[in-house]
Amino acid sequence: MPTERTSSGDPARTLQLLWRDAPAAPDRRRGPRRGLSIDAVIDAATAIADTEGLDALTMRRVAKDLGVVPMTLYTYVPGKAELLDLMLDAAYARMPRTDTTGRPWRQRVTALAEENKALFARHPWAATVSTARPPLGPGQMAKYEHELSALDGLGLTDVEMDDCLAHLLAFVQASARAAADARAARHDSPMNDQEWWEANAPLLARVLDEKTYPTAVRVGAAAGAAHGSAYDPDHAYAFGLERVLDAFAALIDRGTGG
């Protein structure tokens, strides 16, 4: 399945819409028409994506939910590519931002991770979108400014600050996608993880020879017993975040001579 990407539409038109520096809506003197706004279109599209995923999101579907014909919608947003940028930037703008002033840097960075984890929990589709070319709207820029403040004053160079933030956000996004995959697997199966492993234990015992795979069998059994399954999203997130913070600590200590 192709990955949805930000900034894949008309860049000039997208920036106009993101910063609301766009031409006015069509002249309404031609006849009665239900009043719309860009924000109403964004909200309707986001509601569809939140409940049904991006595959269900089409301009026609958004128009239907808003009670207008598709051509009316196109007078507000040129297409789905631009609409996706608007949706993501709006989600960024509405993110709660934790005031971590005066807290230790590990607590500040952990708060950033939790904020983004919560974003992907509210909008699972956002974790599936590639932002290699980010939509540079007001929501994106406010988010970036807020997040950089957690890394400022730690002895990192500007490039290192950006690198650390990008690494943290990539980790959280990957964790969110893995957690969504695990939820989908549980939803699609009549058995939970423990029941699945118990049902398949006899077959696995026959094919997984302890003499051939001694380390894999030993470690896999220990991990399965500890987590109740082969993969525990919450444990993986907590463990991974600590390792990310440890790596940042090494970089910060090197930069400050600690």
Side-chain angles (χ1 to χ4, degrees), residues 10-11 75 85 101 103-104 154 163 171 207-208 221 244 246:
D10 178 351
T75 62
D85 287 345
T101 304
R103 295 187 190 178
L154 299 179
D163 285 343
F171 161 74
V207 298
L208 296 183
V244 170
D246 290 344

Side-chain angles (χ1 to χ4, degrees), residues 95 105-117 120 143 146-148 150-151 160-176 237-238 240-248:
M95 288 176 65
W105 72 263
R106 289 181 79 108
Q107 292 184 17
R108 299 200 303 268
V109 175
T110 296
L112 299 185
E114 291 295 322
E115 289 168 3
N116 282 274
K117 183 182 179 185
F120 296 134
K143 180 177 185 290
H146 165 71
E147 292 171 343
L148 287 174
L151 296 164
E160 288 172 338
M161 287 172 59
D162 183 78
D163 285 343
C164 286
L165 180 57
H167 184 65
L168 175 72
L169 298 184
F171 161 74
V172 177
Q173 184 174 14
S175 296
Y237 171 80
L241 179 58
E242 283 301 310
R243 303 295 75 76
V244 170
L245 295 175
D246 290 344
F248 289 2

Side-chain angles (χ1 to χ4, degrees), residues 97-227:
R97 311 203 195 283
T98 307
D99 183 3
T100 58
T101 304
R103 295 187 190 178
W105 72 263
R106 289 181 79 108
Q107 292 184 17
R108 299 200 303 268
V109 175
T110 296
L112 299 185
E114 291 295 322
E115 289 168 3
N116 282 274
K117 183 182 179 185
L119 168 72
F120 296 134
R122 287 191 299 272
H123 308 296
W125 54 270
T128 69
V129 177
S130 170
T131 56
R133 292 182 177 178
L136 300 179
Q140 168 79 58
M141 296 310 299
K143 180 177 185 290
Y144 189 48
E145 179 72 21
H146 165 71
E147 292 171 343
L148 287 174
S149 68
L151 296 164
D152 201 13
L154 299 179
L156 300 172
T157 67
D158 287 350
V159 173
E160 288 172 338
M161 287 172 59
D162 183 78
D163 285 343
C164 286
L165 180 57
H167 184 65
L168 175 72
L169 298 184
F171 161 74
V172 177
Q173 184 174 14
S175 296
R177 295 185 70 163
D181 289 343
R183 287 194 301 270
R186 290 194 297 268
H187 180 269
D188 295 339
S189 173
M191 297 179 287
N192 61 34
D193 287 348
Q194 185 173 353
E195 292 170 339
W196 187 91
W197 283 105
E198 290 175 352
N200 288 279
L203 173 61
L204 293 173
R206 290 199 302 271
V207 298
L208 296 183
D209 182 5
E210 292 185 15
K211 294 181 179 180
T212 305
Y213 312 107
T215 308
V217 171
R218 186 189 78 241
V219 173
H227 308 315

Side-chain angles (χ1 to χ4, degrees), residues 43-67:
D43 289 344
T46 300
I48 294 169
D50 285 349
T51 56
E52 302 177 47
L54 289 179
D55 287 345
L57 181 64
T58 64
M59 297 293 281
R60 182 175 296 277
R61 172 64 189 279
V62 176
K64 178 181 177 182
D65 284 11
L66 288 170

